[in-house]
Amino acid sequence: MSFEWIMIPYSLLTLFIVINYGLLLTALMQKIGARVGRRHGIPIWQNYIDLLKNYSIRSSITHGVMFYLGPVFRLTGGVGLLLFVPTIFGSEMFSNLSFAGDLILALYFIFFGSLGMALGAGESGHPHSAIGVSRGLSQVTTSELPFALAVFAVALQYQTLSVNDIVAAQQGGVMNWTLFTNPLAVAAAMLSFLGSMMRPPFDVVLAPQEIPIGPPTEYHSSYLALMQTNRVIFPIAKMVVYMNLFFGGAASWPVFFLKIFLIYFFSLFIGVVFPRFRVEQSVRWFLIWAMPLGIAAILVV
Amino acid sequence: MKDDFEKLLDQQPEKEPEPQERPALRDIPVREELVPRTVTAPDGQEIRIDPLQDYYCQAGPTVQTPAYTRIIEDLFNWARAESLWILGFGTGCGAIEMRPLMTPRFDAYRYGIQWRPTPRQANLLVISGYLSVKTLKRAIRSYEQMQNPKYVVGLGSCTINGGMYWDSYNTIKRLDDYLPVDLYITGCMPRPEALLQGFDDLKKLIRAGKAEGANKYAENFERYKTNQKRVIKDWDMPDYSW
Amino acid sequence: MQTLISQLQTRFQLSEFILQRDNLAFVTVTREQLRPLLLHLRDKEGFTHLVLLTAVDWIEDNIFQLTYLLGDRTAGCDIGVRLMLPRDVASMDSIHDLWPTAATYQRELREMFGIDFPESPRVDEDFILEGWTDLPPYRRDFDTLKYSQESYVDRLGRETKDPAAYMKLKLYPDEDNDG
């Protein structure tokens, strides 16, 4: 594979678009959630202000090297995930660094941020962080299982590990999407998707209403701002993977925006309807309902 | 309302009447885990440990100057004003008037006001109502753990002059003796509308660059600590909680 | 209730009961009578609930009055057992083995009135007040206003009005307000 220098500014452009779209989309989703509760919710540009505010805090406190690296790892996970899968299918500009085995790498990157976060939060020494990390890791691990199974099912189905090839195989009409060619895998993956979006019913790890707010308890000012940045990149990056694997990818930015919005909206829709699960309930839920679907998907293929 | 208050502040004599120290009838035992002790290290060496000295950072707060040019500081102040994160710490009955702000009727989120569960991420401490000495201790620790541009709003009459607890043996009467207060909201209790109005005034203060409570606290650190230690008799924490 | 009272009186040689309501009566006992009476009420008569344990400071008579209020949840009636303690040696036997909740009440009484309950768990620890160095604040010889003025600085400009006179003045300003 030849390396073109022009890919770097192209990747940065992707990142820029995704950050802005993520900031607006996250606020929009919060607004929709607020409208369900008959509130107006935050202004649509609130995320920008919060970000700016956190970068402008004058003092900050460190708890050690890993405390620094935690948010960095997390951001690396988000950005890496975004850059190693093709954002826009068939576009020279926005295919980024995708290569033949990128599906495995994507799976790894999804988990990478959580691990870095666990180390960083652990060093902060706050008991609520430790509670949050153990809750978060157990929930993410179980919610990753159905997703991994679904990914393997898809890889088996198309006999490739390249996201690009999988998207290519789904072109030519809605009926070619994995959604219709392998509905079991998509169902398993979408259930797992709920678990990783940190929205109700699976947001006990991070919910500010919970007294232990979770891993970021000790994070503040610039650290928190870095994590907020990741909080807008990572879900989009993850949804890009979903879009590519199951919903036919996107050939242009408008299609991209629409599909991402709809995928995000799916988790929001579930979230405003159902109350929050405790960790042991959600772990059990994933193992009982999502796992068998994933196994069935592999068996069917 | 605000003018009255400023007039009232002007009435304060230059030299405040120093409260007399009442003789203590009993000594307060130091908490067991804070007693200085000698331990033997695995290699046989004897180590003297004074937990209050050795386990905590002893440095006091420093004044953090606005480090950028005027225009950037203005931008930052605007961002700080539009993104007030309140520490979810209800000290007294006034906390009950804060909850309606989250509900559809008042919906403070519209104004960039959010509640954070940890002092590290919050930049506004609302002392909601009367503050007993025991709660004051926790409020000080929470305040000190917040990061530099931070604001304190005193809510209700109790924080201003004691309110209906003016003769209580256990509640403080003037919050600004112990924490640098940026703004008081009067009332017993103030309605949620009054709170929104108060937050709006606070935003104006922040945008004007006048809400420098954290720096005021660092500058007058000695005075605040003297006042705090006068009422908190069992001071068993470091002078500044980082 | 009447039958219960007469039974108790013959069994324990108690003084006169004060019948406050049909389902509420008080009796004053001596220190030795207290424990057997409480045990009997709890185990035989169905007063299984310790509603509260509180104290009254009769400073003029130089005594503390302890009140053990017991409740019968099924019959819906209460009996208050009163006990007088000398104020200068305020010490009483603990009943935390009869009702574990009593330990908390006893901690509070120890802190707020200075009544000691030896052997009650954690009775010497701080309960609500932290680092209190003065007289126990619920004792009537403790002057809370004086303490407050000496410890916490007043803010000038505070004025107090008599509520009745002030409202009369505001609501009916035309009437004669001298009286």
Side-chain angles (χ1 to χ4, degrees):
Chain A
M1 184 184 145
S2 66
F3 183 79
E4 303 279 347
W5 285 102
I6 191 69
M7 288 169 83
I8 291 176
Y10 283 165
S11 308
L12 290 180
L13 183 62
T14 314
L15 202 57
F16 178 75
I17 296 176
V18 165
I19 286 180
N20 283 294
Y21 180 58
L23 284 167
L24 292 174
L25 184 68
T26 319
L28 180 66
M29 287 299 163
Q30 281 204 35
K31 262 188 108 64
I32 296 175
R35 287 309 297 174
V36 174
R38 300 204 167 192
R39 291 188 292 113
H40 284 278
I42 57 174
I44 194 101
W45 54 83
Q46 184 68 45
N47 282 338
Y48 289 96
I49 303 177
D50 287 348
L51 211 54
L52 187 59
K53 196 274 303 270
N54 275 329
Y55 278 120
S56 73
I57 299 263
R58 291 185 197 135
S59 59
S60 57
I61 288 164
T62 178
H63 293 273
V65 178
M66 268 325 289
F67 189 74
Y68 272 112
L69 287 182
V72 176
F73 275 23
R74 196 122 176 82
L75 192 63
T76 314
V79 173
L81 180 59
L82 182 71
L83 291 187
F84 278 101
V85 292
T87 316
I88 303 292
F89 172 71
S91 155
E92 188 67 19
M93 275 175 79
F94 301 111
S95 285
N96 301 334
L97 309 171
S98 60
F99 62 98
D102 50 3
L103 194 51
I104 299 296
L105 194 68
L107 272 185
Y108 171 71
F109 264 129
I110 289 179
F111 217 84
F112 182 70
S114 318
L115 289 177
M117 198 57 233
L119 290 172
E123 184 151 11
S124 79
H126 199 288
H128 289 172
S129 299
I131 296 173
V133 165
S134 58
R135 282 174 170 186
L137 278 184
S138 48
Q139 182 170 312
V140 167
T141 312
T142 41
S143 78
E144 282 296 298
L145 272 174
F147 178 61
L149 289 172
V151 167
F152 293 145
V154 171
L156 277 175
Q157 182 189 354
Y158 297 113
Q159 294 294 326
T160 175
L161 277 174
S162 160
V163 178
N164 228 346
D165 293 350
I166 294 178
V167 182
Q170 296 180 59
Q171 297 305 309
V174 173
M175 289 315 286
N176 286 351
W177 292 4
T178 319
L179 177 60
F180 297 105
T181 55
N182 193 351
L184 280 178
V186 178
M190 287 317 277
L191 293 184
S192 139
F193 176 67
L194 294 177
S196 60
M197 284 304 284
M198 291 304 160
R199 289 205 155 268
F202 299 106
D203 65 339
V204 75
V205 179
L206 272 182
Q209 295 92 335
E210 299 290 324
I211 293 172
I213 166 182
T217 306
E218 275 288 309
Y219 281 98
H220 52 271
S221 57
S222 307
Y223 308 116
L224 186 66
L226 213 56
M227 286 166 63
Q228 280 181 311
T229 317
N230 177 62
R231 292 277 303 144
V232 303
I233 296 178
F234 186 73
I236 307 274
K238 183 149 184 171
M239 282 182 280
V240 170
V241 176
Y242 272 77
M243 182 182 73
N244 283 335
L245 289 184
F246 308 122
F247 301 103
S252 66
W253 282 108
V255 179
F256 170 87
F257 291 150
L258 182 70
K259 281 188 178 170
I260 294 289
F261 174 81
L262 288 177
I263 299 176
Y264 205 144
F265 191 71
F266 168 73
S267 93
L268 178 85
F269 191 76
I270 306 281
V272 296
V273 177
F274 292 102
R276 186 175 297 147
F277 274 146
R278 291 205 306 267
V279 172
E280 75 270 22
Q281 289 168 327
S282 59
V283 165
R284 201 171 297 143
W285 191 86
F286 282 122
L287 292 183
I288 291 178
W289 295 105
M291 270 275 282
L293 275 177
I295 294 171
I298 287 197
L299 291 182
V300 168
V301 173
Chain B
M1 187 170 80
K2 206 173 140 222
D3 296 341
D4 282 354
F5 179 64
E6 273 163 13
K7 224 183 293 167
L8 206 148
L9 278 183
D10 292 339
Q11 285 176 13
Q12 302 288 346
E14 282 297 307
K15 183 83 181 79
E16 308 216 331
E18 283 291 308
Q20 274 141 34
E21 207 63 48
R22 282 174 75 100
L25 294 189
R26 85 187 172 99
D27 292 331
I28 304 150
V30 183
R31 284 215 314 267
E32 196 184 335
E33 63 267 30
L34 297 179
V35 177
R37 54 185 176 264
T38 310
V39 293
T40 312
D43 56 359
Q45 197 187 355
E46 297 235 318
I47 305 175
R48 183 105 188 108
I49 291 179
D50 183 359
L52 269 179
Q53 290 294 320
D54 300 345
Y55 290 176
Y56 301 101
C57 175
Q58 296 296 320
T62 49
V63 176
Q64 308 272 340
T65 46
Y68 303 97
T69 52
R70 184 75 226 157
I71 203 161
I72 293 183
E73 188 62 23
D74 280 350
L75 174 71
F76 279 173
N77 275 335
W78 170 77
R80 285 165 193 152
E82 291 304 315
S83 154
L84 289 177
W85 286 7
I86 300 177
L87 176 61
F89 180 22
T91 60
C93 46
I96 221 159
E97 297 292 332
M98 308 236 304
R99 304 295 163 253
L101 288 181
M102 303 182 199
T103 59
R105 179 154 175 195
F106 300 104
D107 191 18
Y109 291 97
R110 281 177 299 166
Y111 308 111
I113 297 166
Q114 297 180 32
W115 280 261
R116 301 303 296 185
T118 142
R120 292 284 190 219
Q121 297 171 8
N123 62 352
L124 171 59
L125 176 61
V126 178
I127 302 293
S128 46
Y130 65 85
L131 198 55
S132 70
V133 172
K134 188 174 176 176
T135 323
L136 175 68
K137 196 168 159 186
R138 276 77 181 166
I140 290 169
R141 289 200 74 161
S142 306
Y143 177 74
E144 289 177 352
Q145 287 182 41
M146 287 158 58
Q147 296 304 313
N148 188 307
K150 50 186 170 184
Y151 320 106
V152 178
V153 166
L155 178 61
S157 323
C158 300
T159 53
I160 300 174
N161 60 9
M164 61 185 280
Y165 297 98
W166 62 285
D167 61 349
S168 162
Y169 57 89
N170 206 21
T171 55
I172 59 156
K173 286 193 275 199
R174 281 172 48 171
L175 180 58
D176 44 298
D177 279 348
Y178 311 101
L179 290 173
V181 181
D182 293 291
L183 188 91
Y184 281 111
I185 302 171
T186 55
C188 181
M189 296 307 304
R191 295 265 313 148
E193 291 94 334
L195 257 81
L196 285 179
Q197 174 69 45
F199 289 141
D200 207 40
D201 288 344
L202 179 67
K203 284 182 179 186
K204 283 177 195 150
L205 283 179
I206 298 173
R207 270 202 292 272
K210 285 183 192 158
E212 289 288 349
N215 286 342
K216 208 171 118 195
Y217 191 70
E219 278 164 17
N220 304 314
F221 191 60
E222 287 298 317
R223 185 169 72 82
Y224 282 116
K225 277 300 146 187
T226 322
N227 284 340
Q228 289 167 3
K229 284 184 180 170
R230 184 178 295 135
V231 292
I232 302 177
K233 302 277 175 56
D234 61 331
W235 189 274
D236 54 1
M237 51 189 191
D239 269 1
Y240 192 79
S241 311
W242 282 101
Chain C
M1 197 76 176
Q2 281 298 346
T3 50
L4 175 68
I5 286 173
S6 46
Q7 270 178 15
L8 285 176
Q9 264 170 340
T10 48
R11 187 189 274 264
F12 289 99
Q13 287 95 39
L14 296 174
S15 61
E16 200 59 41
F17 271 79
I18 305 162
L19 202 59
Q20 201 103 352
R21 288 197 310 259
D22 279 348
N23 57 358
L24 177 67
F26 286 95
V27 65
T28 308
V29 298
T30 64
R31 197 170 174 149
E32 290 71 34
Q33 283 172 326
L34 177 79
R35 198 178 174 83
L37 177 64
L38 290 182
L39 262 174
H40 177 77
L41 283 172
R42 185 188 75 167
D43 295 337
K44 296 286 191 301
E45 308 292 346
F47 287 86
T48 50
H49 179 206
L50 177 69
V51 181
L52 56 84
L53 164 56
T54 186
V56 183
D57 184 1
W58 300 108
I59 193 168
E60 295 84 358
D61 306 332
N62 203 25
I63 47 176
F64 280 128
Q65 170 199 319
L66 287 179
T67 305
Y68 299 77
L69 191 63
L70 307 185
D72 183 346
R73 302 292 289 268
T74 44
C77 56
D78 299 315
I79 284 188
V81 182
R82 288 173 178 161
L83 180 112
M84 301 302 175
L85 283 179
R87 212 167 168 281
D88 27 16
V89 274
S91 176
M92 182 58 206
D93 313 321
S94 168
I95 57 155
H96 68 270
D97 49 335
L98 304 186
W99 284 278
T101 45
T104 311
Y105 286 116
Q106 288 168 169
R107 256 176 93 189
E108 186 187 13
L109 290 176
R110 166 101 175 106
E111 182 168 279
M112 290 304 196
F113 286 93
I115 305 173
D116 195 10
F117 294 87
E119 292 170 24
S120 180
R122 303 172 66 194
V123 75
D124 287 324
E125 289 177 31
D126 282 340
F127 180 53
I128 292 173
L129 305 172
E130 279 181 351
W132 187 258
T133 56
D134 217 284
L135 273 178
Y138 278 7
R139 286 195 180 210
R140 277 172 62 205
D141 46 356
F142 171 76
D143 187 345
T144 163
L145 177 60
K146 185 158 162 280
Y147 181 84
S148 153
Q149 279 165 349
E150 285 176 3
S151 307
Y152 315 113
V153 186
D154 277 311
R155 194 188 296 282
L156 297 182
R158 187 189 166 101
E159 48 186 298
T160 309
K161 298 185 174 78
D162 175 41
Y166 188 69
M167 279 191 75
K168 204 173 157 196
L169 187 76
K170 283 280 166 191
L171 290 175
Y172 312 104
D174 302 332
E175 287 180 21
D176 179 26
N177 279 310
D178 294 339

